[in-house]
Every structure is written in structure tokens, then in C-alpha cells.
Amino acid sequence: MAVLTPARLEFNPDGTPVSAAYGDVYHSAHGGPAQARHVFLAGNDLPRRWQGRDRFVILETGFGLGLNFLATWHAWQADPLRSRRLHFVSYEKHPFSAADLAVAQRAWPEFSALAAQLQQQWPVLTPGVHRLYFAQRQVVLTLFFGDASHLLRATDAAVDAFYLDGFSPAKNPDLWSDNVCKAISRLAAPGATLATWSVAGALREALRAAEFDLHKRPGFAGKREMLCGQLRSRRPDRHQPPDERRAAIIGAGIAGCTTAHALAAAGWQVDIYDQAAAPATGASCNLAGMLRPLPSADDNYLSRLTRAGFLATRALLAELPAARWAPCGVLHLARETMHAATQQRVVDNLQQPAELLQFLDRDQASELLGWPVDIGGWWFPGGGWVNPASVCRAALAAFPERIRSHYAVPITHFEHTPEGWRLHAKDGSASSPVPTLIIAAGVGATDFAQLNWLPQKSARGQVSHLPAGPSLPFVVNRYAYALPQIDAHRLIGATLQYADSDPSVRTTDHADNLARLQLGLPAYAATAALDPATLTGRVGWRPMSPDRLPIVGAVPAPQSIHGTPRLPALPRQPGLWCVQGFGSRGIVWSALMADLLLSRLEGEPLPLETDLVAAIDPGRFLLKPDLGSQASGGRTALR
């Protein structure tokens, strides 16, 4: 379990930024931008090598103050022959705060406009992968916060150019080790190049052993030499972009709509189908849902995925001004004293920034809430509520020229033909074939023959709408969740029943929601002493996976499995993908899973560590049928 230690911004007497912890400078005293251009851009023959390319991927081993990224983005922006998309992947064990970046980047006025955009999107300093989009999503910055010597092995990318940057081998030997050089070689695309200011003999030996041909070039300013290299291996590239960027999506809930948005933003033409007359009429039709991560004592898969998803959803919402949401905060109260102690231990162990996660004792929680509570709990200042239907509408409307919606078209089955996937509707009509088909049909996914083996369950949930009255200032969750007043309704819920297909709003379920509200927030419940029979509400069905993790990736072909296959070599159905199993976390996971799916379709760097990608792969259930009891990655996440 990684804990980040942020960097401290310090300067030498001449104004050069320096790390006291490593005893080294972040860039030459003779001019940071000039050094970046000489060593890393020119050393990798840029911008010439990205010109005319569909995409170009750069990997940097130390982000530092972001100088190399800004210099590269600046050069790409100024180049009329630039690649269609630029991916920049970078690692940082000790990231700076946004405030410190703003101070340090003032030294480079030529990058001021780009630096302001970077500072505005700078992520919360938490371990893991953070993805930032710029230039209408054509410049993609993927930041790995943590130790590069470990995270390089958890990266999936095909890299065209490497910036081997960081504190000197004598000061930071782990970043220049044989294992790091081997990891770099594993990520290299055919013809990949590298550049570094270091010419240390041990580094040259390690890079040669990792299949790079090397040569020295004149160094920058007072440094006599620098090092450049090119991959000599002729292994094939397994990260090729698609031949055609056309896809069909079945399901216009939040999973399908955010996936359509991600594909359209990358230039895809998308047809989205739904049996209802409008988007977001199924599980995504609730007036509002809760947005917050879900920590765990061991930072297991569920914890890491909900944290990454929470941050990705926040970033997407910032792109969609028509989406309705409120970052009012979420208070997740403990169930009882032992649970409160566990929550406190989680906060102590994870050491997350206070802007992401805090623990409040009973008095602090009561004061913040404005209602008395008998126990403390987690406080998520950046959490809140989201109206999922508005996200769906905004996502589809963002690219009207690239997304065609087909409503009131129930798809009964689909088939793979030599021309691609053809969809058949209930009225007997059939679609034109498409090379890529994505299933985001929620609980209806297993009705299709190609996914009928998927161990996804349908879970009925009912929310209750209390009439207007005293409102909570933010979302509160304990035995049930309660939302602030939205459109003259105060939402509470939700029930959970398996193997229950009753679509009617039941008085008994209203009574259950009120009882759990009374148990968790008795003072607030007293303001809603209502007859359950008088309440309105809504019923929906959540697509639940056995292990409570999403089911996202290429769909396996179970009938062709022989022996003991392994991920990712499990046989797949060509061009068939799914975005399923979100359960009650569709709001939290949809943006991140859409990004992951697009990255896999495009063969681009993935926005998650490889162990998380494997943990949510649909094939996991075929390889290990009892995975449901284990896939949370350790101890069960605290609910």
C-alpha cells in the first residue's frame, strides 16, 4: 500500500529549483526550457518523428515540475504537421502541489498559457494513475504517482520516445537500475528512441542489455555529452490503432453514454441503441445518486478503483457544464463504535489529502451537519450528488456530429459477419455491420447469447422521495443514504433485493427506507415522520458482479476455451466488448471505464495499472469461477 510524500519547493541561491531530499537540481541553471528542447526533444528527433502520425507516445521517468511536458506540448502545438494525438506518460514519486507548480512555472513565461491549464487540472496527490486531457482531448497526460521502479511494471503502453529524466544515478540509483531499463524496453514500440542527459557507464551497459543501440551527442550548456538510443528489437507492435473508428453501443444508460462520449471525443462514429424512448430510463434514471470513493484498510482493488473512478468522474463533470451535480460533500457515518475505529485506522493508514478523505468524530460531524449524530465517520469534501440522466444527455450532446442515437429500438440479438457485427431489432430490422460492438445494457446484457455465461446478477432497488422539508447540507450515508433536497424532493434509499422483478413501487420498501433512516439519522428522520403509503419513489435494477467489481473489456469466447488459458491470451470474440457490472456505482465508475475501453480499442496507454485491468476483465470468471469471494483484493471493503 503506497503512501505519497509530496515534494517541497526549494531553490538554490541562483533561483534554480532543487530537491533537498535528493541533493540535486530539477533542471540546469542555464535554462530549463532550452535544456528540455536540446536533450529530450532533439535527442528523440522531435518534432520530426511525430509528424504525420495518428498518435505519438512519450514516456518520462520523472515529471518533476512538468518542464519537459510543457516544452513538448508547446512544440507539438506549434507544429502544423503534428500527430493527431499526443500521449505523454510520466511518473513522479514525490509530486508537487498545484500551488508549488504555479510558483515554479512562473519562471517559464513562454509556457504560461499551457501551465495555467495544467495547474487547473492538477490532480489530488493520491497514489495511482491520473489522466488529464488538453487541446480538445488531443493531448493526453497520464501521471503515475508513486515509485517508477515499481509502476513501470504496472504500465501498459507502446512508447515511441523515452525521456529518461530524474535525479542523477548517484543520487537516485533506483530510477536508473537494470530492472528499470528492462521495463522501459518492454514498453518500447518498434523504432522507439530514448534520450537522457546521463552518460553513466552502468546506465549504458543496462540499456544495451535491454536492446537499445546507443550513441553520444553533445550535451547541454556545461555538460560535454548526453546519451541517445534506439530500440534494435524487431518485435511486432501489439498496440496498433483500429482500422476503422466505427462502433455500436447497446444501452443508453450512464455506462453507454459516457462510453459514446469518450469514443466520439477521439474521433469515432458511434451509433447508440436503447429499447426506451430516451436515454437514462433504466438504472440511470434516479433523480440523483451519490459520488464518493470507498476506502479500505488494505487499499484493495475496490478501494483503488473507486478512488480512480471518483476522480475521473469529477474531471468529466467539469467538461460537461449541462450535467447537474453538486460537490456538496459526503458524510459516511460509521455503523457502530468498532466500525468507527476501523474508519479512523483507514484514514491513518492511507494518509490521503484532507481534500479527499478525513475522519470526523461525533462532535465534528454533528457541527458540520447541523444535526446531532451519535457517531463519527468519513468525510469526503469533494463528494456529492449527481443527476445521472443529465450526464447522459450532456455526454451525447457534446458530439452530435459523431453520435447517432436510436431510441425505442429493442435489440433482440446480434451476429458476427465477415463485415462486422450486425444488430437485429424486435421489428425485424437490422443495422449495417460495424467492426466494434460494445454492450452496456445493464441487467439486460445476459439476455444476449454471447454474454449469457456472465455471472452478473440483477439487484432490485427502490428509492423513496420525501416531500420538501428541512434539507441536509450534503449527502449522508449510514444504514441508508439521504440526499439534500433536489427539485422539491428529499431522496433516501435504497433497498436491495435479488431475484425480484417486481416493477411496482412498494409501501413495504418505503417503510424499510424510513426505518433505516431512523436508525442512522434519528434527528433528521424525525422531520420526516410520514406514512410510507403516502410516499413516491422509483424502482431500478442494478447489474451486480459476484465480486462487486466492474466487468469491462473484450468479451471472451467460452466455447473455444481448451486447457488452462491465461489473461490476456484468453480467446475473445472479435470486436465485441462490454462495460458491465457497475452495480450501484455507475456514477463513480462510468467515466473511468469509458476511458479504459477507448484506450484498449485504440491501443493507447491505459489509464489504470495492469493488475486493476486484469481484475475487471470479463474473462476472470472463466479462469477462476470462484473469483467472487476473492477479487476485492484482500479484505472486504468497508461499506
Side-chain angles (χ1 to χ4, degrees):
M1 181 174 61
V3 175
L4 283 185
T5 302
R8 291 173 52 197
L9 183 60
E10 301 171 285
F11 296 93
N12 276 343
D14 64 1
T16 303
V18 63
S19 168
Y22 287 90
D24 205 352
V25 295
Y26 281 94
H27 61 71
S28 169
H30 299 283
Q35 179 186 14
R37 294 188 184 103
H38 179 91
V39 176
F40 297 109
L41 276 90
N44 281 287
D45 194 16
L46 300 175
R48 186 194 67 81
R49 288 183 56 235
W50 67 41
Q51 291 176 347
R53 296 276 296 270
D54 184 69
R55 70 158 183 263
F56 196 83
V57 179
I58 296 169
L59 186 147
E60 174 190 47
T61 53
F63 189 79
L65 291 165
L67 172 60
N68 294 333
F69 169 65
L70 293 173
T72 302
W73 182 8
H74 188 265
W76 178 88
Q77 181 176 261
D79 183 4
L81 302 177
R82 60 183 176 265
S83 58
R84 185 179 68 93
R85 277 164 75 88
L86 175 68
H87 274 269
F88 197 100
V89 181
S90 190
Y91 302 78
E92 184 51 61
K93 187 175 182 179
H94 303 292
F96 283 97
S97 68
D100 281 348
L101 283 183
V103 171
Q105 290 170 354
R106 290 176 194 153
W108 315 315
E110 63 199 286
F111 303 146
S112 59
L114 305 184
Q117 295 179 56
L118 175 62
Q119 294 156 23
Q120 183 179 22
Q121 290 196 45
W122 191 244
V124 177
L125 302 188
T126 60
V129 189
H130 304 265
R131 177 157 281 180
L132 286 63
Y133 289 102
F134 306 97
Q136 290 77 51
R137 288 190 164 228
Q138 299 312 298
V139 174
V140 186
L141 173 59
T142 304
L143 291 166
F144 285 75
F145 283 170
D147 191 339
S149 62
H150 300 299
L151 289 173
L152 280 162
R153 297 196 296 271
T155 303
D156 189 330
V159 178
D160 300 299
F162 293 92
Y163 295 0
L164 303 188
D165 197 10
F167 301 119
S168 72
K171 305 287 187 180
N172 187 21
D174 290 346
L175 197 57
W176 306 87
S177 68
D178 292 357
N179 286 336
V180 166
C181 293
K182 290 176 183 176
I184 287 169
S185 176
R186 179 184 66 82
L187 295 171
T193 62
L194 65 83
T196 177
W197 51 267
S198 176
V199 293
L203 174 63
R204 299 200 308 273
E205 291 179 13
L207 288 172
R208 288 193 184 101
E211 300 188 274
F212 283 96
D213 291 327
L214 305 172
H215 63 276
K216 295 179 181 178
R217 291 179 51 174
F220 176 73
K223 197 169 190 311
R224 188 165 62 91
E225 294 176 317
M226 58 174 276
L227 193 66
C228 297
Q230 184 166 16
L231 185 73
R232 60 175 174 266
S233 171
R234 300 301 177 195
R235 60 179 180 261
D237 186 359
R238 59 185 179 86
H239 293 78
Q240 291 293 335
D243 294 329
E244 290 186 83
R245 291 186 169 92
R246 291 190 299 117
I249 299 173
I250 300 178
I254 194 167
C257 292
T258 52
T259 299
H261 176 272
L263 267 62
W268 286 61
Q269 294 294 325
V270 181
D271 286 273
I272 187 166
Y273 295 83
D274 201 284
Q275 63 185 349
T281 59
S284 300
C285 195
N286 284 346
L287 180 57
M290 180 168 47
L291 174 63
R292 57 101 167 88
L294 190 65
S296 67
D298 54 355
D299 205 23
N300 59 30
Y301 289 161
L302 185 61
S303 175
R304 291 164 59 196
L305 281 167
T306 57
R307 181 170 66 241
F310 166 78
L311 296 172
T313 297
R314 292 258 322 188
L316 176 62
L317 291 169
E319 288 186 48
L320 300 174
R324 291 187 64 201
W325 71 295
C328 53
V330 175
L331 178 63
H332 186 132
L333 294 170
R335 295 184 297 273
E336 27 69 22
T337 303
M338 186 177 295
H339 188 201
T342 301
Q343 286 187 324
Q344 176 72 73
R345 187 172 69 253
V346 168
V347 173
D348 294 342
N349 288 348
L350 295 181
Q351 298 182 41
Q352 302 286 0
E355 63 192 292
L356 181 71
L357 173 65
Q358 302 173 32
F359 181 82
L360 305 182
D361 62 27
R362 180 191 63 189
D363 293 340
Q364 291 170 320
S366 296
E367 181 178 0
L368 186 68
L369 181 60
W371 299 86
V373 294
D374 59 6
I375 202 163
W378 285 324
W379 169 239
F380 303 99
W385 61 262
V386 177
N387 173 254
S390 72
V391 175
C392 293
R393 292 190 296 268
L396 297 180
F399 300 98
E401 72 284 2
R402 295 180 191 158
I403 300 174
R404 292 186 298 185
S405 301
H406 307 266
Y407 301 125
V409 181
I411 301 300
T412 58
H413 63 286
F414 45 84
E415 60 177 338
H416 191 255
T417 71
E419 295 78 29
W421 290 97
R422 189 183 297 275
L423 284 61
H424 295 268
K426 188 176 181 179
D427 63 4
S429 61
S431 72
S432 299
V434 290
T436 301
L437 175 59
I438 300 164
I439 310 303
V443 296
T446 53
D447 293 339
F448 299 112
Q450 292 84 352
L451 287 93
N452 61 9
W453 56 270
L454 200 64
Q456 178 182 267
K457 297 181 179 180
S458 174
R460 181 187 183 278
Q462 180 175 313
V463 296
S464 301
H465 297 169
L466 309 185
S471 179
L472 296 169
F474 44 74
V475 181
V476 182
N477 185 63
R478 195 174 182 188
Y479 300 104
Y481 63 78
L483 274 61
Q485 186 164 296
I486 306 166
D487 296 344
H489 291 292
R490 297 177 293 165
L491 273 65
I492 62 171
T495 60
L496 176 65
Q497 297 106 359
Y498 292 102
D500 188 338
S501 58
D502 180 10
S504 61
V505 176
R506 300 190 297 229
T507 300
T508 53
D509 285 10
H510 285 323
D512 181 43
N513 284 333
L514 286 171
R516 287 185 291 122
L517 180 66
Q518 172 65 39
L519 186 63
L521 283 172
Y524 180 68
T527 72
L530 301 168
D531 179 355
T534 66
L535 300 183
T536 60
R538 188 181 177 279
V539 174
W541 284 266
R542 312 168 188 130
M544 307 286 289
S545 67
D547 54 20
R548 299 299 189 269
L549 300 181
I551 306 170
V552 179
V555 177
Q559 68 277 9
S560 65
I561 294 176
H562 302 285
T564 55
R566 295 176 177 272
L567 289 175
L570 193 70
R572 309 286 170 157
Q573 301 183 58
L576 183 61
W577 300 75
C578 71
V579 188
Q580 288 290 141
F582 289 3
S584 60
R585 300 188 178 96
I587 291 171
V588 175
W589 278 334
S590 289
L592 177 64
M593 296 301 119
D595 193 3
L596 172 63
L597 187 66
L598 170 66
S599 298
R600 296 193 64 182
L601 286 168
E602 288 278 354
E604 295 182 332
L606 300 189
L608 281 173
E609 300 94 325
T610 51
D611 64 328
L612 293 180
V613 176
I616 63 177
D617 190 294
R620 68 192 189 266
F621 301 113
L622 297 175
L623 301 186
K624 204 168 190 180
D626 63 345
L627 192 61
S629 62
Q630 304 171 30
S632 60
R635 271 170 272 173
T636 302
L638 299 172
R639 301 191 183 282

